[in-house]
Amino acid sequence: MNSCSHLPGPAESSARPVLFADCRLVLARGELDLTTMTPLAENLRRARAGTGRPCLIVDLSAVTFADGSILEPLCEAWDECRARRGWARVVYTRPSTALVFRAGGLAGRFPGYASAQDAWQGVIAGPAPRLERGGSA
């Protein structure tokens, strides 16, 4: 349990969606895997609630670990946003997160953005650094 009761612990991997200009921003932090994905998946659904053209930014910059379980809820969000003439963009810069998207064949659908502002403006980050032998960037 986190010693600061006002801060979410690792199991509470995402905050409630917040409005960013005319866009919804979903923040995630900590480790994201099959056992911790439920809050993020729920917040992605909440962020798409309502009608109109959804513009969604998912900020994974504070995620320390992610596996392939992030892909299905992100693809569902992307599909729904596109069907409603909107978009979904993901903020990440860690090579390990980029690897998850590449391994899933989704690096083209989810290019990395360095910040929520860059995602809003459509400015894709440069290529993520490759992981060196031994797992360090």
Side-chain angles (χ1 to χ4, degrees):
M1 178 144 164
N2 197 330
S3 62
C4 297
S5 62
H6 64 283
L7 297 175
E12 299 173 79
S13 61
S14 54
R16 292 185 186 271
V18 295
L19 191 60
F20 179 82
D22 291 326
C23 185
R24 289 286 172 172
L25 175 63
V26 176
L27 305 169
R29 58 180 258 175
E31 296 184 2
L32 294 176
D33 60 29
L34 189 58
T35 64
T36 61
M37 275 301 299
T38 302
L40 177 61
E42 190 58 39
N43 284 334
L44 288 170
R45 280 189 287 278
R46 252 190 310 236
R48 299 188 318 266
T51 60
R53 180 178 173 253
C55 296
L56 177 62
I57 297 172
V58 183
D59 189 340
L60 302 180
S61 60
V63 170
T64 57
F65 171 83
D67 67 13
S69 62
I70 67 172
L71 299 177
E72 184 176 343
L74 288 172
C75 284
E76 288 173 3
W78 190 89
D79 289 341
E80 184 177 342
C81 289
R82 294 281 297 200
R84 292 169 50 193
R85 299 181 187 251
W87 48 259
R89 296 176 180 161
V90 183
V91 176
Y92 65 91
T93 56
R94 291 179 188 267
S96 57
T97 305
L99 182 60
V100 172
F101 289 111
R102 282 196 312 272
L106 295 168
R109 181 182 283 200
F110 297 111
Y113 294 86
S115 68
Q117 186 68 37
D118 285 352
W120 173 248
Q121 294 173 339
V123 178
I124 297 171
R130 299 257 181 208
L131 288 175
E132 301 292 328
R133 280 197 163 187
S136 62

